[in-house]
Amino acid sequence: MKFLKISIPLIATSICAFGASPAPSEPSTTWVGGTTNWSDESNWSNGLPSESVSAIFNTMYAQGTKLNGDVYVNDLIFGDAFALGELGNYNFDIEKSLTVKGDLYYSNLRTATYGGIRFVSLNNSKFTIEGDATFEAKNLTDEQKQTYKSGTVDVQIGSAATNYPMFAEFNLNGDLNIIGTSSVSSNVKLAAETVNIGGIVNLSTKNSQFVIMRGSMNNPAYLTNQSWGGLSGIGKLYIESVDWNTAYSTAITANVTLKNTADQTYTGSVDIVNGSNGTYTGTGVINLTMDAANASATQTINLSGSKSFTTVSVKNGTLIYSAPAAAESLTVSGGTLLLSYSDTTQGDLAISGGSFGATMDGGNAKVKSLAYSGGKLVFATDGFYGGLPNSIAVEGKFSKETLEKIVIDFSGLDAESLIGVPAMTLITAGSFEGMSTSVDADEYFVAENLINAIADFAWNGNSLTVAFTQVPEPAALAAIIGALALAVCAIRKRR
């Protein structure tokens, strides 16, 4: 469905229009709310919603809505004047499942300073949206300010501070768009065991917030596995592990896998909010994995703020990563992980496949330790000898855990003009294991993607250096081979 920016007629004429919310696919029906029962036809202006009939919520209600069984609707629209009263919250109690065949759009006015809409899972329920989901905060007009306090959006998918379970599944085939304004926040909190977002998570403004939430009071240890089609924007992503229950401490682990089909960039922040009531605490971790559906896709994450993802892994595609704090560990088994310029020393790196290195912005890839059992260490070519190449700095131990040579990938560097230039440092480490600095470094390292030169690796204390020598001319190479052959023959004759 393509959203058209037109106004929807209001049922309650006392409610001011809240701007341009999207028009639903027709036919549509509007909630009039005599009771709380979604399936009561008298609660709708034009019969019940269905897979082909859209639903509109467009005025102020004191009560919530109860959805029994498997419920289907085409588009689900909250706006122009969906308003939250002094009670603060409006509950959508989902007994079994809710499937939105089209798009979901949500905005609201509020007379209370707290609360919002709550999609509540009553019994490990499922929530599916086959199109896009958009949650948009808006600035109030001067006229609206006479009645309402704000247009802040506060949505919970899975209810916090209750004994209800989290959603068993939340499936969104399209994009998740969380849109704040320069002064008004849009805050979406999600509590579900399994989350599949086929499109991107788009936190478009600094006041766009997406929260992975441990919501239930009867679940001390909460694991959520989430798959997203990418991450973009400048907003805030965080884990909320609030101690809603005084009976025990709580923990939340969120595993987020990015399945990009295209390039995306995120320059917002990530945070872990751990709560405490003085006796019991809530703790959380958020693990990031890049496993792109398209191997050529690049996800760039340059974090602001003061935190990092707990762990970072790459299996497919390219992840360019920078954070003001260290991840506990980095793992590369496929794809490419590039650390962009940062003074932060990241955690322990294990590489068994794929590629690892630094970007071409003049910085270094800094890690606490490095365990190599396969893959490539990459060095960018752009401005390679403009001063220093992007190097890899290992604070502690660099261990070689394979009999194969460590591959140094020069990314297609044409080194002909660098022949005779003094050797320069590629890797430094506190110590080496599985290698001896008293043995020729060429025994441990091999060059790839190098043009018009030969790499000569050497040790300089606890550093690996490289210098470039000329590729022998064909005639000279033939002479060398001939001399070697003669030497072999002479040795055999002596025997």
Side-chain angles (χ1 to χ4, degrees), residues 483-495:
L484 289 173
L486 289 173
V488 170
C489 289
I491 292 170
R492 287 179 176 174
K493 285 182 179 180
R494 289 175 187 173
R495 292 178 179 176

Side-chain angles (χ1 to χ4, degrees), residues 437-459:
T437 55
S438 62
V439 174
D440 188 345
D442 288 322
E443 295 295 318
Y444 302 119
F445 297 90
V446 62
E448 281 192 2
N449 291 327
L450 180 64
I451 301 172
N452 292 326
I454 294 175
D456 182 15
F457 298 109
W459 299 112

Side-chain angles (χ1 to χ4, degrees), residues 262-283:
D263 297 350
Q264 302 296 338
T265 298
Y266 180 70
T267 57
S269 62
V270 63
D271 202 357
I272 299 173
V273 180
N274 294 326
S276 174
N277 63 8
T279 303
Y280 300 99
T281 60
T283 58

Side-chain angles (χ1 to χ4, degrees), residues 6 83 289 364 412 416 435 438 487:
I6 64 175
T289 298
N364 298 328
E416 185 174 14
M435 296 173 279
S438 62

